[in-house]
Amino acid sequence: MLSGGPATTESVNRGPFLADVGVVGAGPVGLAIAWRCAARGLRVVVHDPAPGSGASHVAAGMLSPVAEAYFGERELTGLLAESAARWPGFAAELAEAAGADLGYRTDGTLVVGLTADDLAEARRLWAYQQGLGLPISALRPSQLRDREPALAPRVRGGAVAPGDHQVDPRRLVAALRTAARRAGATLLPGAVTAPNEVAAPVVVVAAGCGAAALTGLPVRPVKGQVLRLRAPGRGAPGFRHVIRGYADGESVYLVPRDSGEVVVGATVEERADTEVTAGAVLRLLRAAVDLVPELAEYELVEASAGLRPGTPDNAPIIGPLPGRPGVLAATGHHRHGIVLTPVTADLVTELIVTGTPDPLLAPFRPDRFAGAAGQPVTQEETWN
C-alpha cells in the first residue's frame, strides 16, 4: 500500500475497509484507473454523484500529441506522445471488455491557416514541433484540398499530422463504466468532501477541478465553450479528418463523427462559470464556416460549456500527495484528459500494485508545487 508497500490482493491489510482502492471521480481518468485496478484483482469503489458529467461530457476527444505540442511544454509533449502510442491497444482492449464502439478513428489531423498571417503563426508552431521530431508535414493548398475538398478555397496552406487521432468521449465514458463494473468495480453515487471519508487504504483523487478542494493542490477551472452540429439528412459529415485551424486570428477545431456530428470548439477562458455566451458561439461558428463553408448548412444541435482542470504549468498532477499517506492524485489534465487517459491509468495502477513509481511520473508529481497540499518531499518518501 501507499504507506507500507505494494497493494496486492495477497498483501493488503483490508481490516475494516470496504475496498482496497477508492477512486474519487468517474470521468475517463478515474474510471480507467478503476478498471485497471479491478482487472488486477483489487477491490475498487468509485465515488461520483454524477459520473461522466464533468469536462469529458463537453470534450471533443482529440488525441493530438503533435498538434497540441506547445512551446515550453517538452515534458508534457513526451507524456502525450507516450499515451497516444498506447491508445490503439487501449481502445481495442476496452472495446472488447465493454462490448462497445468508442468512436475511435485514425484519419489523422489537418492543421490549416486561412490567411497569410494565420499560416505564418501555424508555421512557427510546426517548426517547433518538427524540431522535436514529431510527425507533421507541410502541405500546399492543392494538397490540402485533395485530402479535404470541403476546405474553403481561401485556405492558404496547412500541414498533416497523421498520428493525431480521435475518440468520442461520451462513448468512452460509457464503455469505461461498463468495463469497470464487469471487472468487479463498484460505482457509488455519493459525493466525497475529503479523502478520509473513503473507506479504502488507497484513495485516488481523480476529481478534475474538484481536486483542489479535496487536496489543496493548485487546480483551477478553465472554461471551454463547445458546439455540436449535425450534417444534413443525418449523413456523414463532408470531411473525414480532424481540422484544426486559424481563421483571421481565431483558433478553432472541427471534429467529424461517423454519426454525422461535428464538434466545433473551443474557447479557453479563465472563468469558473458554465454559461454559453452568444459571443463565443458567434466566434466559433464564424471561424468554422470560414474554413469549411458547408458547415453553414448544418444543424446546430448543442452549445455547452465545461471546466477543464488547469494547473500552473499546464501539466497533470499524478502521484502520492506529500504528507497524506495513502492518497494519490490523478488530476490537472487541462485540455489533455482524453489523450492522457491510458498512460495515467497505467502509471497509477502500477504504482498502487507494485509500490514503485515509473520514471515517467517524475515531472508530474504533486510535490513539484512547493507549499501545495503539504511540504515537498520525494515520491519515495511519500510512498514508503
Side-chain angles (χ1 to χ4, degrees):
M1 300 301 295
L2 279 164
S3 58
T8 66
T9 53
E10 292 79 15
S11 67
V12 64
N13 179 14
R14 291 189 170 95
F17 296 120
L18 300 178
D20 303 321
V21 179
V23 179
V24 183
V29 170
L31 288 172
I33 292 168
W35 173 42
R36 292 301 200 199
C37 285
R40 299 286 286 269
L42 299 175
R43 298 181 305 168
V44 181
V45 175
V46 183
H47 300 262
D48 196 314
S53 63
S56 65
H57 189 70
V58 180
M62 293 174 294
L63 311 176
S64 301
V66 177
E68 293 204 347
Y70 288 101
F71 303 104
E73 298 180 353
R74 184 182 293 265
E75 291 173 329
L76 174 58
T77 297
L79 191 68
L80 293 172
E82 174 64 31
S83 196
R86 300 184 188 206
W87 251 102
F90 178 83
E93 185 180 353
L94 178 58
E96 181 177 358
D101 178 7
L102 311 181
Y104 178 63
R105 292 178 53 174
T106 60
D107 302 281
T109 294
L110 297 180
V111 186
V112 303
L114 183 67
T115 69
D117 287 344
D118 293 329
L119 187 57
E121 179 65 20
R123 282 174 171 162
R124 189 171 74 94
L125 188 56
W126 302 338
Y128 169 74
Q129 292 162 345
Q130 289 171 334
L132 296 178
L134 299 174
I136 185 167
S137 303
L139 299 174
R140 297 188 300 274
S142 60
Q143 294 174 310
L144 281 173
R145 279 182 279 278
D146 285 343
R147 289 173 178 264
E148 289 295 0
L151 282 168
R154 289 179 56 207
V155 170
R156 296 294 296 270
V160 60
D164 281 14
H165 301 154
Q166 64 149 303
V167 70
D168 186 330
R170 295 179 181 180
R171 294 186 188 182
L172 172 65
V173 169
L176 283 168
R177 289 181 68 179
T178 299
R181 282 174 169 155
R182 289 181 176 178
T186 300
L187 273 65
L188 298 180
V192 171
T193 60
N196 60 11
E197 295 177 4
V198 179
V202 176
V203 179
V204 180
V205 179
C209 293
L214 289 166
T215 64
L217 289 168
V219 179
R220 73 187 191 284
V222 181
K223 180 180 177 180
Q225 299 188 54
V226 177
L227 311 177
R228 281 175 166 79
L229 313 180
R230 190 168 302 282
R234 297 190 177 274
F239 59 101
R240 61 187 179 86
H241 293 81
V242 171
I243 296 174
R244 304 175 67 99
Y246 301 86
D248 286 322
E250 189 75 37
S251 177
V252 70
Y253 59 69
L254 314 172
V255 184
R257 307 268 196 239
D258 292 332
S259 64
E261 179 180 82
V262 176
V263 182
V264 180
T267 66
V268 179
E269 307 168 56
E270 293 291 339
R271 297 175 59 93
D273 65 90
T274 54
E275 296 176 357
V276 175
T277 63
V281 173
L282 177 63
R283 292 195 308 273
L284 291 171
L285 284 178
R286 179 186 291 133
V289 172
D290 280 347
L291 295 178
V292 179
E294 71 175 48
L295 292 177
E297 304 302 321
Y298 284 36
E299 179 186 3
L300 175 60
V301 296
E302 183 182 312
S304 56
L307 301 175
R308 311 172 183 92
T311 65
D313 58 7
N314 294 328
I317 303 174
I318 309 170
L321 291 189
R324 304 283 290 275
V327 182
L328 282 160
T331 187
H333 291 78
H334 198 201
R335 62 183 183 269
H336 305 302
I338 305 300
V339 66
L340 289 177
T341 291
V343 74
T344 303
D346 289 346
L347 294 177
V348 170
T349 301
E350 197 65 22
L351 181 57
I352 291 171
V353 170
T354 69
T356 303
D358 189 292
L360 279 174
L361 285 174
F364 309 106
R365 307 184 322 193
D367 60 28
R368 72 184 188 271
F369 299 114
Q375 293 300 314
V377 294
T378 68
Q379 208 166 30
E380 290 77 10
E381 287 171 343
T382 305
W383 187 255
N384 295 318

